[in-house]
Amino acid sequence: ERRRSKGVGARHRASSAEGASSPWPSCASATEFPFKPEITAAAARRPRRGFDEMSTGDLHRRHSHAAWLRERFLQEEQQQTPFAPDVRPVPQHVRGQLRVLDDPDTYIARVREKSTEASLRREQMLEARAERALDGCTFQPKVNEKGAPAFVRRMAESYRTARGLREKENEATAAAAEARA
């Protein structure tokens, strides 16, 4: 009854009744398959494994083998290169540039001071480079010491007056709009 409800029909029942050796109902004989598995004697002696053993067990074996190879490689490398550095204690008069352990409270102030010094040196270097680039320039324009001509001063004054009037008009319209709202 269950086979009928799942859609397994008479064709499957007939093929399973004909020959239990072939899982493929359409194949007449096993000679049609190109792959013919054989169980070796070593494989026959091994214990059977379930799906869990084949998935996680193989992974654990692979990881342990890789760790064993890594350890073996390190041992061989140490045998071939027995170098060990001769590390001597640091003399008392020598100290690090950061001095974090000796004077930790002023570390940030020292870092800021060094960065400002570096930026000043950089600016001075850029100014010197710009001066060297302009050394070859001989053109020195003469600037009018009296200022702009009279007609330019009049135009500037009229522009300032017009701008002031426009600003007053804008303020008046804004105040009127606020009063209406």
Side-chain angles (χ1 to χ4, degrees), residues 32-136:
E32 294 179 23
F33 296 114
F35 175 70
K36 296 176 181 68
E38 293 180 12
I39 298 176
T40 61
R45 284 192 302 267
R46 290 190 194 132
R48 294 183 180 180
R49 302 187 305 165
F51 69 90
D52 190 41
E53 178 63 26
M54 285 192 272
S55 63
T56 57
D58 287 349
L59 181 67
H60 290 299
R61 273 192 294 282
R62 189 178 304 122
H63 285 305
S64 65
H65 183 68
W68 179 78
L69 286 175
R70 197 176 308 116
E71 183 65 32
R72 187 174 130 206
F73 175 75
L74 286 173
Q75 287 175 356
E76 287 177 4
E77 185 178 321
Q78 287 176 354
Q79 287 175 357
Q80 291 174 0
T81 56
F83 173 75
D86 183 22
V87 180
R88 297 181 182 165
V90 179
Q92 292 294 330
H93 68 279
V94 175
R95 63 180 183 180
Q97 187 175 3
L98 297 179
R99 296 181 300 185
V100 177
L101 297 176
D102 299 341
D103 196 11
D105 297 334
T106 61
Y107 173 71
I108 293 176
R110 285 183 280 131
V111 168
R112 283 189 187 135
E113 181 181 338
K114 286 193 183 231
S115 68
T116 55
E117 288 174 3
S119 65
L120 285 174
R121 279 195 308 270
R122 187 172 36 255
E123 287 176 15
Q124 289 172 354
M125 183 183 70
L126 290 174
E127 287 175 6
R129 186 181 296 168
E131 286 178 15
R132 283 194 308 267
L134 295 177
D135 280 346

